[in-house]
Structures are given as C-alpha cells and as structure tokens.
Amino acid sequence: MTAPCVNEIIRESYGTIFIIGPFNYPIFCTLIPLIGAIAGGNCAVVKPSELAPASGKIMEKLIFQYLDKKAFAIYQGSVYENQQLLARQWDKIFFTGSTRVGRIVMEAAAKHLTEVCLELGGKSPVYIDETVTDLQLIANRILWGKFANAGQTCIAPDYILCHEKVHDEFIRVAINTVKQFYGEDPHKSESYARIISELHTERIKSALDDSTVKIECGGTCIVKEKYVAPTILSNVTLSSKIMQQEIFGPVLPIFKVSSPDQAIDIISHNSHPLALYIFGKNRQTIDRIISSVDSGGVCVNDTLMHAVGHLPFGGIGPSGIGAYHGKNTFDAFTRRRAVMRRDDHAILDAPIRYPPYSDFALNTMKSLMTLPALPTILPSTFRNVTVAALGVIAFFVARYFGN
C-alpha cells in the first residue's frame, strides 16, 4: 500500500528547556544537561540550586559571558523563584534532585502536558555475596562510593545486605578502611567533605537517634559545622529510623542476610532504586538478583563507576524518568520525528485504497496487511539501489534491441 517509499527518522529540538540543578554536584549536574540542550538545538533557562550559591554565581557569569542572551538565561533564587518558573509553559523540563521535589516538578509539568526528565534518587542497595574473596578491595570500593562528598551522591550506596558468612569480617575491614581513608579523626581530614546545610545535618542526626541499631564507628554530628562523621551501623532492620528514607549522608547501615533471596526480599520493601550494586563471583547469583530487582542502573563489583562512562544514566519510577550521559544526553533533548517520502506518480498509486470498496479490494487489503514489513531503506541506499537497478535494466534493453 505504501510502496514505493522511503522512511526515515530525524531528530529535532524541543524548543525551550527548563533545567533545575541540584546542590550536591551543582556544576556538573547542571552544565551537562545544558550542553545536551545546546547540542540538540534548544534554548534553555537554567535554575541553579539555592543551596550552592557560589557555584550558581560562577555559572551565571560564564553563561552570560559565553552564550547568546537571547537564547539562554539563568535565574537565581529559592523556592518562590522555582514556583514562578515552573508555572510557565516549557517544551521540556530537566530536574535533578529529590523524589519529593520531583513529584512537584512533574505535577507542574502535567498542567501543560510538558515532557520531563527527572534524575532523582532512592535507597540504592549493595549485596555482598558469600563468594567474595578480597574484602579489602570490596570495602575500598563501597566506602569510597558511600563517603565521597560525605554521602551526598544520588547513586551512593544507601545500605548493605551482607551475607552472614562474611558479615563480621567485612565490618572489621570496613572500620579499618575508614581510618585508612580519613585518619583517626575524620573531622580533621582534608579529604572528607561536609553536609550542604545545617538543616540536612539535623536530618541525618535525627535518623541516627535510634537505640535499636549499633554504631560500629562514627556517629558524631556537629550541626553548626555541618559535620557528620563517616558512620557504619549494624543490627539494622527495616523498621530502623535510618531505613525510612534515602540517607543522602555518610551513614552506612549493614544488614546480615543468609541468602540472596533474603536480600532480594529486603530490597523489595523499598521503591525501585536508582542504582543496584552486587559484589560476588557467582554469575548465576548475580544475574538472578539483576533480573529480580528493578533499578535505574546496575554495577557489579564496584560502585558509582557505571555513571562515569556513556551508559544511559537514569532511574525507574520514584528514582527517575528518562536518562542521559554520552549520546543519551543528546537524545534526551531531541525528539524523534517520522518522515515518509513518496512519489506523486498516479501509476504507482493503488486504486483499491479508495472507496467505493469491492469485495476484491477488501480481500486484497487484508492480504496485504498480513505480509511481513519490509526493511526500512535509508534515502541514500534507496537512490543507490534504484540507480543500479536502472543500470541493469538499461543494459539488457540495449542488448535486446541491439540484436
């Protein structure tokens, strides 16, 4: 019915993008989406986090210095400014932040049926299998991923599910690893960060106020200095205060589990996480956990590193909508548009498509609809094949009439 035709998919810009940046990695997580918006041919308005004002001022200076003011703008401010900007109609909204605020952004976007890309968070679990052998290497990788930026990373390990056969030894190694990383007093370490605000420090301190858990190391909070020591907890249950929300701080609860199935069951009590970490050597166990637990991304035998390359980075459900990084960033800020090109020669038109319809026409159309779809041919390929076919026809015609 449609042959001959040429089908293609082109990428087009959305228009004007509203980018809301986070406080934890305020420059990277704001400028990478902006780069994608520019690459996709969009205009953009940037709203940096009010909790990182110094970074916001730097970005404001650079954006106004190097980008066209008619196409790009940046607004500073707090909740009121965000509300005013969200009330406007945008062609797409890109937000990085908490699940709670992500719901607010999505609600505002829904009023205008605006597409969104939400990079949120959640409680990203770590499973340590009994098959692991190098606990020091595992502790290095997990604790680095957890305590980098004082735990203020959206894909930081939120809690550990450690097999009972290696549980006690892992805790011992982990406590020593904290000392190796930050010394006897992490408060004095130049390699250890601080919490973004006193309010967030109070939130973490409140979550630690739980007599049912055991503090293996750390636990110190100095609100005025926005300091929370790298903390490891044991004797944790699903009802523990620390397990009621994403921690987003340097506190690492550790569960003791007897099997991968028990770990999967505990993970299933929380919403889909942004990341899933698995440490082990048994491929069958690893693949079973991956297939049983929905998450934005998976990293086996390491933490955070899956977000460094060009893999799509994004969540699922409460942990996010959409993905970016690498070419996925360009794809996130362009839309696919289908284009079909046909000739306007009547001889190529099928008369059975037009009414009045006879039994022959209806039966023919039914038969055509059951045929397998032909492969899509790109315009250049179609032209080359057509020219080649015409050349072959011309050759045989010349030989026939020449004789």
Side-chain angles (χ1 to χ4, degrees):
M1 293 292 287
T2 60
C5 69
V6 176
N7 297 329
E8 61 181 313
I9 298 173
I10 60 176
R11 309 283 321 191
E12 289 190 344
S13 61
Y14 278 96
T16 303
I17 312 294
F18 181 33
I19 299 172
I20 307 174
F23 68 77
N24 55 335
Y25 296 95
I27 293 180
F28 177 84
C29 290
T30 303
L31 293 190
I32 292 299
L34 178 59
I35 292 170
I38 295 172
N42 301 279
C43 299
V45 171
V46 175
K47 171 59 179 65
S49 172
E50 68 276 9
L51 296 178
S55 298
K57 290 179 181 178
I58 292 174
M59 287 188 284
E60 181 176 1
K61 176 183 177 182
L62 296 177
I63 286 174
F64 284 140
Q65 182 176 349
Y66 292 106
L67 298 182
D68 186 349
K69 294 182 178 64
K70 295 180 180 179
F72 302 96
I74 182 169
Y75 287 92
Q76 308 288 356
S78 58
V79 176
Y80 174 78
E81 285 74 16
N82 274 334
Q83 291 173 340
Q84 296 301 307
L85 290 166
L86 281 173
R88 294 177 175 270
Q89 184 167 355
W90 307 94
D91 297 302
K92 187 165 187 175
I93 299 175
F94 188 101
F95 168 77
T96 305
S98 69
T99 301
R100 180 185 65 81
V101 179
R103 290 190 174 96
I104 296 173
V105 172
M106 194 167 185
E107 182 180 358
K111 294 178 180 179
H112 302 288
L113 296 179
T114 299
E115 190 170 330
V116 297
C117 185
L118 305 177
E119 297 297 332
L120 308 177
K123 297 185 75 63
S124 298
V126 180
Y127 173 66
I128 302 177
D129 192 49
E130 62 179 312
T131 58
V132 297
T133 53
D134 193 340
L135 285 176
Q136 184 60 65
L137 175 64
I138 292 171
N140 287 346
R141 291 180 174 179
I142 294 176
L143 269 59
W144 168 77
K146 177 61 179 181
F147 297 134
N149 200 29
Q152 298 165 112
T153 304
C154 59
I155 53 171
D158 193 89
Y159 60 99
I160 294 177
L161 303 145
C162 189
H163 196 282
E164 59 187 5
K165 291 185 178 180
V166 294
H167 174 271
D168 294 346
E169 181 63 13
F170 175 77
I171 288 180
R172 186 190 66 80
V173 174
I175 293 171
N176 289 333
T177 303
V178 172
K179 295 177 182 178
Q180 294 172 17
F181 282 2
Y182 307 112
E184 292 291 338
D185 185 3
H187 186 262
K188 298 178 180 178
S189 173
E190 295 183 355
S191 300
Y192 189 65
R194 296 296 184 267
I195 305 302
I196 189 66
S197 69
E198 293 183 13
L199 181 64
H200 281 273
T201 309
E202 283 281 8
R203 174 184 59 80
I204 298 169
K205 181 181 179 182
S206 175
L208 283 173
D209 185 17
D210 186 347
S211 59
T212 64
V213 301
K214 179 182 178 182
I215 298 177
E216 297 286 352
C217 74
T220 303
C221 298
I222 306 175
V223 176
K224 291 296 182 182
E225 298 183 20
K226 295 177 281 190
Y227 171 79
V228 177
T231 302
I232 297 175
L233 304 178
S234 64
N235 195 34
V236 180
T237 66
L238 284 169
S239 60
S240 300
K241 290 181 67 175
I242 201 68
M243 291 300 298
Q244 302 314 304
Q245 61 178 345
E246 181 182 7
I247 299 170
F248 218 69
V251 180
L252 185 58
I254 302 178
F255 287 79
K256 181 191 290 188
V257 296
S258 59
S259 67
D261 291 327
Q262 185 183 2
I264 292 170
D265 181 64
I266 293 174
I267 294 172
S268 67
H269 281 79
N270 290 304
S271 301
H272 301 319
L274 185 55
L276 169 65
Y277 302 111
I278 307 169
F279 287 82
K281 294 182 178 297
N282 188 312
R283 179 63 182 265
Q284 185 177 1
T285 298
I286 293 170
D287 289 345
R288 182 154 59 89
I289 295 174
I290 292 175
S291 63
S292 300
V293 178
D294 288 327
S295 66
V298 180
C299 190
V300 178
N301 290 321
D302 209 338
T303 62
L304 309 191
M305 298 305 293
H306 65 292
V308 174
H310 290 169
L311 289 171
F313 179 80
I316 173 173
S319 61
I321 298 173
Y324 73 129
H325 284 195
K327 183 181 178 295
N328 303 286
T329 308
F330 173 80
D331 293 341
F333 290 101
T334 54
R335 68 181 186 91
R336 301 201 308 168
R337 189 178 187 188
V339 178
M340 174 188 282
R341 303 179 191 274
R342 299 197 67 197
D343 291 324
D344 60 350
H345 302 302
I347 195 173
L348 300 176
D349 210 20
I352 60 172
R353 66 185 279 193
Y354 303 115
Y357 300 115
S358 64
D359 290 341
F360 171 78
L362 291 174
N363 290 332
T364 302
M365 284 191 284
K366 289 179 182 178
S367 299
L368 291 173
M369 290 177 182
T370 61
L371 293 175
L374 295 174
T376 300
I377 303 177
L378 297 175
S380 58
T381 305
F382 182 78
R383 286 195 298 270
N384 294 338
V385 171
T386 302
V387 171
L390 290 175
V392 172
I393 294 172
F395 171 77
F396 284 105
V397 169
R399 284 194 60 182
Y400 178 80
F401 287 103
N403 293 333

